[in-house]
Amino acid sequence: MLSAGVLAWICVVFLAAGFVKGVVGMGLPTVAMGLLAVTMPPAQAAALLLIPSLVTNLWQLLTGPSFGRLCKRLWTMMAGVMLGTVAGAGLLTGTHTGAASAGLGAALVLYAILGLAKAGFTTSVRHEALLSPLVGVATGLVTGATGVFVIPAVPYLQSLRLGREDLIQALGLSFTVSTAALAIGLFRTGALASPSAQLVGSVAALAPALAGMFAGQALRQTMSVETFRAVFFVGLLALGGYLMGDGIL
């Protein structure tokens, strides 16, 4: 059973993670995994992430205008995400926790560097058929090993030059599939050995995650998103560096 202090920490983490998602449209799993992995094994952190991530991303997915069209366009990428996540989930458990922490740190550092450099590229329509499943599998392997959904899915989806609302919905689709696949992978590897306690923690995290998301969406209307994104990526860079060092040592 989780203690009151642990539950309070989980609520604070997901309030902050939901706030980030509300402002920049993504980042809940990245922030939550990064902060939780400082105090608990990555597999436990990933289990706590499941319900808040699934609900907030379903919300983001189902409120967009192009659900059917995006599913048809990106289904091979989603299939790759599912396969890669289930295949890589074993790295979050057992004797691989140090490597998983280091891998999570590396993913955060890479994501932060890409964000600060505003690195981008364009994928032509004729290359999508080849790249989508490869990006999906790569994203799934990173998700399965670290619990972070963003690399390389987010840069790839940004490279498709989707409209703003379509991009937000495509991110919701990718993150929803990643969350579901991660749940399957954790169950398959036995990481959900205490499902009742993990379910309590994950349900407890949902309310602060939603509250933070709504607050972030409100603040987004009154502040510079670019300024916030810069602070966000610098923070991720520092946190990722810490987790890399901790995992290696």
Side-chain angles (χ1 to χ4, degrees), residues 54 59 72 82 94 121 126 128 159 188 209 220 235:
L54 184 62
W59 189 302
K72 182 178 180 180
M82 182 68 70
F121 59 94
R126 69 178 183 274
E128 280 189 49
S159 78
R188 178 173 170 270
R220 185 169 61 194

Side-chain angles (χ1 to χ4, degrees), residues 7-221:
L7 285 174
W9 169 241
I10 291 171
C11 289
V12 169
V13 167
F14 280 94
L15 182 67
F19 179 77
V20 170
K21 182 175 180 64
V23 174
V24 301
M26 58 184 178
L28 186 148
T30 310
V31 173
M33 280 296 296
L35 292 175
L36 291 173
V38 174
T39 59
M40 63 182 66
Q44 184 181 353
L48 292 173
L49 173 69
L50 295 178
I51 290 178
S53 178
L54 184 62
V55 172
T56 56
N57 285 311
L58 275 174
W59 189 302
Q60 182 172 325
L61 169 62
L62 297 178
T63 56
S66 307
F67 176 74
R69 180 164 54 83
L70 288 172
C71 286
K72 182 178 180 180
R73 181 175 180 178
L74 299 173
W75 75 268
T76 58
M77 177 182 170
M78 298 306 107
V81 167
M82 182 68 70
L83 292 173
T85 301
V86 173
L91 292 175
L92 271 169
T93 62
T95 59
H96 302 294
T97 53
S101 293
L104 171 57
L108 293 180
V109 167
L110 178 58
Y111 183 37
I113 291 173
L114 289 173
L116 289 170
K118 296 182 178 180
F121 59 94
T122 300
T123 299
S124 65
V125 175
R126 69 178 183 274
H127 292 146
E128 280 189 49
L130 173 63
L131 289 178
S132 284
L134 296 178
V135 169
V137 171
T139 300
L141 290 172
V142 173
T143 299
T146 69
V148 174
F149 310 156
V150 297
I151 299 295
V154 171
Y156 175 70
L157 291 173
Q158 289 172 330
S159 78
L160 299 180
R161 296 297 185 258
L162 301 169
R164 181 177 179 275
E165 294 303 318
D166 283 356
L167 176 59
I168 290 174
Q169 192 171 22
L171 291 171
L173 174 62
S174 180
F175 297 159
T176 298
V177 172
S178 294
T179 303
L182 184 60
I184 294 171
L186 291 174
F187 179 79
R188 178 173 170 270
T189 58
L192 301 180
S194 302
S196 58
Q198 291 162 332
L199 180 62
V200 169
S202 195
V203 170
L206 178 59
L210 289 174
M213 185 176 72
F214 294 144
Q217 288 173 338
L219 182 60
R220 185 169 61 194
Q221 308 303 319

